[in-house]
Amino acid sequence: MRAMNKIGIYPGTFDPMTAGHMDIIKRSLRIVDNLVIAVANNINKDSLFNIQERINIIKSDISTINELNLKIDVVELSGLLTTFAKDQNATCIIRGLRAVSDFEYEFQMTGMNYQLNPNIETIFLMTSEKNSFISSNFVKEVHKLGGDVSNFVSKNTLEQLNKKNS
């Protein structure tokens, strides 16, 4: 019997990439053989970084964990997530949860995704306690107001934030 190659999709806007995102990425690699980080252009969000900048930041940030030659791809997500997941031959969608407030939205989205493609499972990973309060929006706001966000983002991401807000 041939072992199945488990491909997971970790979608998000990653604007910017945070320690919480990195935590979910590392833990996802224990579950799937290949991870596709799908960077979305969310028309409902006003992004600080354009899509290519976000992809470049993520690639740089994951380079430290990708030294192990793990199969991680970082690509732009356009269109429906379920269609993208099917095109990638994904077996699951990975979503991070920080708080109960995240659950209601994620629960609704999972239900819709299941109706669109019942062959792709959604896996929820709770963020670690130390990252549970970190959100990209908080990071952007605190940084813009002059606060220190170095504990919440990588050195690379902090440098990119400094360039944007200078």
Side-chain angles (χ1 to χ4, degrees):
M1 185 170 180
R2 200 180 97 188
M4 189 169 145
N5 188 28
K6 294 179 190 152
I7 300 171
I9 306 290
Y10 180 34
T13 51
F14 305 99
D15 185 47
M17 175 82 154
T18 68
H21 293 129
M22 186 63 84
D23 176 50
I24 297 297
I25 290 167
K26 288 177 181 176
R27 292 171 49 218
S28 296
L29 293 169
R30 294 186 215 148
I31 299 169
V32 298
D33 301 308
N34 299 354
L35 182 65
V36 178
I37 301 171
V39 185
N41 257 335
N42 188 333
I43 58 173
N44 297 319
K45 290 186 179 181
D46 187 23
S47 297
L48 176 64
F49 295 100
N50 68 40
I51 191 80
Q52 194 55 56
E53 290 171 325
R54 287 181 276 146
I55 288 171
N56 292 341
I57 289 169
I58 295 166
K59 284 182 177 181
S60 177
D61 283 2
I62 66 169
S63 65
T64 56
I65 60 171
N66 217 11
E67 291 172 353
L68 303 172
N69 292 322
L70 302 167
K71 183 68 173 132
I72 306 173
D73 294 313
V74 183
V75 298
E76 180 177 353
L77 167 62
S78 58
L80 284 173
L81 176 58
T82 53
T83 302
F84 177 82
K86 182 179 177 184
D87 292 345
Q88 298 290 318
N89 296 314
T91 55
C92 64
I93 296 167
I94 296 169
R95 300 294 295 170
L97 293 175
R98 291 179 305 230
V100 173
S101 57
D102 288 345
F103 182 76
E104 184 175 353
Y105 171 78
E106 295 293 342
F107 182 77
Q108 291 174 343
M109 185 168 38
T110 297
M112 178 61 76
N113 287 341
Y114 183 81
Q115 292 300 312
L116 294 170
N117 188 339
N119 296 316
I120 300 173
E121 296 294 335
T122 299
I123 298 173
F124 295 107
L125 294 177
M126 296 300 299
T127 58
S128 63
E129 186 178 310
K130 69 178 183 173
N131 294 319
S132 64
F133 64 92
I134 301 172
S135 77
S136 293
N137 287 334
F138 283 155
V139 167
K140 287 186 287 192
E141 185 176 345
V142 169
H143 185 267
K144 189 172 186 175
L145 295 172
D148 180 9
V149 296
S150 60
N151 288 330
F152 315 130
V153 297
S154 70
K155 183 178 176 184
N156 170 58
T157 300
L158 183 57
E159 289 170 4
Q160 299 307 314
L161 281 166
N162 288 338
K163 286 180 187 176
K164 282 286 183 183
N165 289 328
S166 60

